[in-house]
Amino acid sequence: MAWSPLLLGVFVLLYIFPRPSAGDRFMPKLADRKLCADEECTYPISMAVALQDYVAPDCRFLNIQRGQVVYVFSKLKGRGRLFWGGSVQGDYYGGLPARLGYFPRSIVRENQTLKPGRTDVKTDKWDFYC
């Protein structure tokens, strides 16, 4: 069977430029604005402790275990106000890297303010990228 040049070209392009993996995609925005400690949301607002386990429903969210320390970097506003953005560490000895994502604010108790979250920042598509 002879391959047509067009069909062969399509196969070559699909091989060279594969589709993004299931984890590489933009997800729906949870909110249009957020409160942060600075314009880039790079400084944590506070430290909190998880009051219960939380299983992430999708890749935008964090899996959190009860008792785990959570660093809060942003607090969503408006329709997303029930969620905060933050980071959790792996085990104490660094066996797991830090993970970033969103979680319900109701599952944590803030126990130490590091820098007040007073900077209003617009969210963009990268805030909800998986």
Side-chain angles (χ1 to χ4, degrees):
M1 172 178 149
W3 291 88
S4 78
L6 180 62
L7 187 57
L8 186 58
V10 169
F11 284 124
V12 169
L13 286 175
L14 288 175
Y15 179 76
I16 294 172
F17 301 107
R19 288 181 37 205
S21 69
D24 295 337
R25 64 187 182 275
F26 294 105
M27 300 293 286
K29 288 175 78 173
L30 298 172
D32 293 322
R33 303 206 68 79
K34 59 186 176 181
L35 287 175
C36 298
D38 59 282
E39 287 290 329
E40 293 81 30
C41 297
T42 56
Y43 196 88
I45 296 170
S46 63
M47 291 173 59
V49 64
L51 302 173
Q52 64 187 61
D53 290 349
Y54 177 70
V55 177
D58 65 45
C59 56
R60 295 172 292 179
F61 297 89
L62 288 174
N63 288 314
I64 297 175
Q65 296 174 352
R66 183 174 184 244
Q68 198 166 24
V69 173
V70 180
Y71 291 89
V72 179
F73 283 85
S74 65
K75 297 179 178 184
L76 297 181
K77 295 176 67 177
R79 62 187 163 134
R81 68 185 174 277
L82 300 177
F83 298 101
W84 291 351
S87 165
V88 293
Q89 287 293 127
D91 62 21
Y92 180 77
Y93 297 103
L96 298 173
R99 293 173 286 132
L100 300 169
Y102 295 95
F103 55 91
R105 69 182 189 184
S106 62
I107 69 153
V108 299
R109 182 183 69 242
E110 284 182 293
N111 57 5
Q112 183 177 0
T113 300
L114 301 173
K115 188 172 180 182
R118 295 186 183 136
T119 305
D120 188 292
V121 178
K122 185 176 181 179
T123 62
D124 62 28
K125 64 183 181 180
W126 296 106
D127 286 310
F128 307 103
Y129 181 78
C130 293

